[in-house]
PDB file of all heavy atoms in Angstrom:
ATOM      1  N   GLU L  55      -6.006 235.271-107.165  1.00  0.00           N
ATOM      2  CA  GLU L  55      -7.176 236.190-107.457  1.00  0.00           C
ATOM      3  C   GLU L  55      -7.922 235.775-108.681  1.00  0.00           C
ATOM      4  O   GLU L  55      -9.183 235.779-108.674  1.00  0.00           O
ATOM      5  CB  GLU L  55      -6.555 237.623-107.671  1.00  0.00           C
ATOM      6  CG  GLU L  55      -7.599 238.673-107.920  1.00  0.00           C
ATOM      7  CD  GLU L  55      -7.001 240.036-108.216  1.00  0.00           C
ATOM      8  OE1 GLU L  55      -5.829 240.108-108.611  1.00  0.00           O
ATOM      9  OE2 GLU L  55      -7.699 241.022-107.997  1.00  0.00           O
ATOM     10  N   VAL L  56      -7.273 235.383-109.727  1.00  0.00           N
ATOM     11  CA  VAL L  56      -7.890 234.917-110.938  1.00  0.00           C
ATOM     12  C   VAL L  56      -8.780 233.673-110.671  1.00  0.00           C
ATOM     13  O   VAL L  56      -9.952 233.541-111.124  1.00  0.00           O
ATOM     14  CB  VAL L  56      -6.895 234.583-112.073  1.00  0.00           C
ATOM     15  CG1 VAL L  56      -7.538 233.913-113.234  1.00  0.00           C
ATOM     16  CG2 VAL L  56      -6.204 235.873-112.565  1.00  0.00           C
ATOM     17  N   ASN L  57      -8.193 232.717-109.933  1.00  0.00           N
ATOM     18  CA  ASN L  57      -8.921 231.480-109.614  1.00  0.00           C
ATOM     19  C   ASN L  57     -10.171 231.781-108.747  1.00  0.00           C
ATOM     20  O   ASN L  57     -11.287 231.218-108.897  1.00  0.00           O
ATOM     21  CB  ASN L  57      -8.070 230.477-108.895  1.00  0.00           C
ATOM     22  CG  ASN L  57      -7.062 229.835-109.831  1.00  0.00           C
ATOM     23  OD1 ASN L  57      -7.246 229.786-111.023  1.00  0.00           O
ATOM     24  ND2 ASN L  57      -6.019 229.261-109.259  1.00  0.00           N
ATOM     25  N   THR L  58     -10.049 232.730-107.774  1.00  0.00           N
ATOM     26  CA  THR L  58     -11.156 233.050-106.932  1.00  0.00           C
ATOM     27  C   THR L  58     -12.213 233.817-107.730  1.00  0.00           C
ATOM     28  O   THR L  58     -13.426 233.648-107.460  1.00  0.00           O
ATOM     29  CB  THR L  58     -10.656 233.947-105.782  1.00  0.00           C
ATOM     30  OG1 THR L  58      -9.601 233.264-105.029  1.00  0.00           O
ATOM     31  CG2 THR L  58     -11.792 234.295-104.748  1.00  0.00           C
ATOM     32  N   GLN L  59     -11.818 234.685-108.702  1.00  0.00           N
ATOM     33  CA  GLN L  59     -12.792 235.302-109.493  1.00  0.00           C
ATOM     34  C   GLN L  59     -13.596 234.361-110.318  1.00  0.00           C
ATOM     35  O   GLN L  59     -14.802 234.541-110.506  1.00  0.00           O
ATOM     36  CB  GLN L  59     -12.057 236.359-110.425  1.00  0.00           C
ATOM     37  CG  GLN L  59     -11.548 237.593-109.729  1.00  0.00           C
ATOM     38  CD  GLN L  59     -10.679 238.422-110.658  1.00  0.00           C
ATOM     39  OE1 GLN L  59     -10.118 237.941-111.638  1.00  0.00           O
ATOM     40  NE2 GLN L  59     -10.584 239.691-110.367  1.00  0.00           N
ATOM     41  N   ARG L  60     -12.969 233.366-110.845  1.00  0.00           N
ATOM     42  CA  ARG L  60     -13.656 232.308-111.643  1.00  0.00           C
ATOM     43  C   ARG L  60     -14.641 231.571-110.716  1.00  0.00           C
ATOM     44  O   ARG L  60     -15.810 231.287-111.128  1.00  0.00           O
ATOM     45  CB  ARG L  60     -12.691 231.346-112.207  1.00  0.00           C
ATOM     46  CG  ARG L  60     -11.839 231.927-113.390  1.00  0.00           C
ATOM     47  CD  ARG L  60     -10.835 230.916-113.849  1.00  0.00           C
ATOM     48  NE  ARG L  60     -10.010 231.497-114.923  1.00  0.00           N
ATOM     49  CZ  ARG L  60      -8.853 230.986-115.365  1.00  0.00           C
ATOM     50  NH1 ARG L  60      -8.385 229.875-114.766  1.00  0.00           N
ATOM     51  NH2 ARG L  60      -8.219 231.552-116.310  1.00  0.00           N
ATOM     52  N   ARG L  61     -14.198 231.222-109.512  1.00  0.00           N
ATOM     53  CA  ARG L  61     -15.106 230.477-108.578  1.00  0.00           C
ATOM     54  C   ARG L  61     -16.288 231.349-108.231  1.00  0.00           C
ATOM     55  O   ARG L  61     -17.394 230.877-108.157  1.00  0.00           O
ATOM     56  CB  ARG L  61     -14.271 230.053-107.332  1.00  0.00           C
ATOM     57  CG  ARG L  61     -15.085 229.138-106.438  1.00  0.00           C
ATOM     58  CD  ARG L  61     -14.123 228.393-105.523  1.00  0.00           C
ATOM     59  NE  ARG L  61     -13.478 229.224-104.587  1.00  0.00           N
ATOM     60  CZ  ARG L  61     -12.138 229.541-104.632  1.00  0.00           C
ATOM     61  NH1 ARG L  61     -11.382 229.081-105.566  1.00  0.00           N
ATOM     62  NH2 ARG L  61     -11.618 230.341-103.737  1.00  0.00           N
ATOM     63  N   ALA L  62     -16.088 232.583-107.955  1.00  0.00           N
ATOM     64  CA  ALA L  62     -17.142 233.517-107.570  1.00  0.00           C
ATOM     65  C   ALA L  62     -18.128 233.707-108.768  1.00  0.00           C
ATOM     66  O   ALA L  62     -19.339 233.734-108.536  1.00  0.00           O
ATOM     67  CB  ALA L  62     -16.570 234.928-107.230  1.00  0.00           C
ATOM     68  N   ALA L  63     -17.635 233.707-109.971  1.00  0.00           N
ATOM     69  CA  ALA L  63     -18.519 233.881-111.140  1.00  0.00           C
ATOM     70  C   ALA L  63     -19.377 232.654-111.309  1.00  0.00           C
ATOM     71  O   ALA L  63     -20.597 232.790-111.572  1.00  0.00           O
ATOM     72  CB  ALA L  63     -17.638 234.046-112.436  1.00  0.00           C
ATOM     73  N   GLY L  64     -18.854 231.495-111.020  1.00  0.00           N
ATOM     74  CA  GLY L  64     -19.668 230.324-111.077  1.00  0.00           C
ATOM     75  C   GLY L  64     -20.736 230.244-110.003  1.00  0.00           C
ATOM     76  O   GLY L  64     -21.831 229.837-110.272  1.00  0.00           O
ATOM     77  N   LEU L  65     -20.362 230.698-108.806  1.00  0.00           N
ATOM     78  CA  LEU L  65     -21.344 230.646-107.692  1.00  0.00           C
ATOM     79  C   LEU L  65     -22.436 231.748-107.934  1.00  0.00           C
ATOM     80  O   LEU L  65     -23.622 231.474-107.542  1.00  0.00           O
ATOM     81  CB  LEU L  65     -20.609 231.004-106.369  1.00  0.00           C
ATOM     82  CG  LEU L  65     -19.722 229.881-105.833  1.00  0.00           C
ATOM     83  CD1 LEU L  65     -18.807 230.380-104.748  1.00  0.00           C
ATOM     84  CD2 LEU L  65     -20.652 228.726-105.340  1.00  0.00           C
ATOM     85  N   LYS L  66     -22.077 232.849-108.635  1.00  0.00           N
ATOM     86  CA  LYS L  66     -23.167 233.839-108.914  1.00  0.00           C
ATOM     87  C   LYS L  66     -24.151 233.323-109.889  1.00  0.00           C
ATOM     88  O   LYS L  66     -25.337 233.789-109.870  1.00  0.00           O
ATOM     89  CB  LYS L  66     -22.447 235.107-109.441  1.00  0.00           C
ATOM     90  CG  LYS L  66     -21.749 235.955-108.389  1.00  0.00           C
ATOM     91  CD  LYS L  66     -21.042 237.180-109.022  1.00  0.00           C
ATOM     92  CE  LYS L  66     -20.358 237.990-107.952  1.00  0.00           C
ATOM     93  NZ  LYS L  66     -19.589 239.132-108.475  1.00  0.00           N
TER      94      LYS L  66
END
Side-chain angles (χ1 to χ4, degrees):
E55 182 182 24
V56 170
N57 286 339
T58 304
Q59 286 172 337
R60 289 174 181 166
R61 190 161 64 252
L65 287 166
K66 285 178 180 178

